[in-house]
Amino acid sequence: EIVLTQSPATLSLSPGERATLSCRASQSVSSYLAWYQQKPGQAPRLLIYDASNRATGIPARFSGSGSGTDFTLTISSLEPEDFAVYYCQQRSNFGQGTRLEIK
Amino acid sequence: EVQLVESGGGLVQPGGSLRLSCAASGFTFSSYWMSWVRQAPGKGLEWVANIKQDGSEKYYVDSVKGRFTISRDNAKNSLYLQMNSLRAEDTAVYYCARDLDSSGYYSGYFDYWGQGTLVTVSS
């Protein structure tokens, strides 16, 4: 089983700042990795798939990078609506999430 | 507009059964792999099961094997999850989710999700 470890657990930033979220896989997953955003009381939303492809309708401030075991989700300039929990995922495996909170 | 609407959740005693449904609309349901993903209260996401377009392949997380059964009815554009021998640790919001790829290949990415239905297993 592949284990996905996200860091940090919580990230405190201000609107307009740059956010960098990490996801590390216990073994290589090539580029087969996705990122989701989840707000309280809502279903997750697909942001990035295949490590770097933005899903339909996702703003350009969201970008993904990485391959193998190390992946990054970057939000270039935080908007108020971006504060949420973010999960990485590879097939049947999800990371434990990173909570992005307003500083 | 793609819509996935789950129903069937509720309170059930340990050892009991429940059947969840997911009504799909706005897309060609029979062209997509479908999955169930759950989220325990205050916890992260856990993939539960998936099913191929024609129902010929089904896969489960180890913790539900032998207790849960995923199925679909393409004529009714519906996905189901039969849950038997329920345990307290099955308490969660259950989401149905559509696979990103419509070509027959399972991408493992979920581009549309329902709003979820809460299952509570408690005496």
Side-chain angles (χ1 to χ4, degrees):
Chain A
E1 180 189 348
I2 294 172
V3 177
L4 300 176
T5 303
Q6 293 186 238
S7 62
T10 302
L11 185 59
S12 300
L13 294 170
S14 300
E17 290 192 294
R18 181 185 188 90
T20 303
L21 288 67
S22 295
C23 177
R24 175 164 289 179
S26 59
Q27 62 190 79
S28 177
V29 298
S30 186
S31 295
Y32 299 118
L33 190 104
W35 292 92
Y36 297 84
Q37 176 194 69
Q38 188 179 33
K39 298 179 181 179
Q42 296 185 17
R45 178 173 71 145
L46 177 65
L47 300 175
I48 301 288
Y49 65 95
D50 285 345
S52 60
N53 293 323
R54 270 190 304 276
T56 303
I58 301 304
R61 65 180 182 273
F62 291 91
S63 63
S65 62
S67 65
T69 60
D70 291 301
F71 299 87
T72 300
L73 174 69
T74 301
I75 310 172
S76 59
S77 178
L78 285 165
E79 297 287 342
E81 62 267 26
D82 298 337
F83 293 92
V85 178
Y86 291 82
Y87 295 95
C88 60
Q89 176 236 356
Q90 190 275 337
R91 289 289 176 109
S92 60
N93 308 292
F94 285 92
Q96 82 281 15
T98 289
R99 181 178 304 279
L100 179 56
E101 64 177 27
I102 299 176
K103 187 174 182 179
Chain B
E1 179 193 5
V2 172
Q3 282 197 317
L4 297 169
V5 180
E6 301 95 336
S7 60
L11 175 63
V12 60
Q13 292 187 339
S17 298
L18 215 52
R19 188 195 196 205
L20 305 184
S21 299
C22 172
S25 60
F27 66 101
T28 304
F29 180 71
S30 59
S31 295
Y32 292 83
W33 280 81
M34 296 295 295
S35 291
W36 288 98
V37 178
R38 68 184 178 184
Q39 187 169 35
K43 302 298 184 183
L45 301 167
E46 180 183 37
W47 172 83
V48 174
N50 65 5
I51 184 168
K52 193 176 180 179
Q53 288 91 335
D54 61 0
S56 61
E57 294 182 35
K58 306 174 184 181
Y59 301 94
Y60 302 90
V61 66
D62 284 349
S63 60
V64 308
K65 283 180 183 176
R67 300 189 298 123
F68 290 13
T69 302
I70 189 172
S71 63
R72 64 192 296 162
D73 185 337
N74 289 337
K76 294 183 178 180
N77 291 333
S78 293
L79 177 72
Y80 306 102
L81 187 67
Q82 177 66 45
M83 304 186 295
N84 299 331
S85 303
L86 282 160
R87 307 167 180 167
E89 54 265 35
D90 296 318
T91 294
V93 173
Y94 284 74
Y95 297 100
C96 67
R98 188 186 85 167
D99 193 77
L100 176 66
D101 199 297
S102 63
S103 66
Y105 170 74
Y106 179 63
S107 74
Y109 306 129
F110 311 126
D111 63 344
Y112 284 93
W113 299 62
Q115 84 290 349
T117 188
L118 176 62
V119 172
T120 303
V121 184
S122 175
S123 55

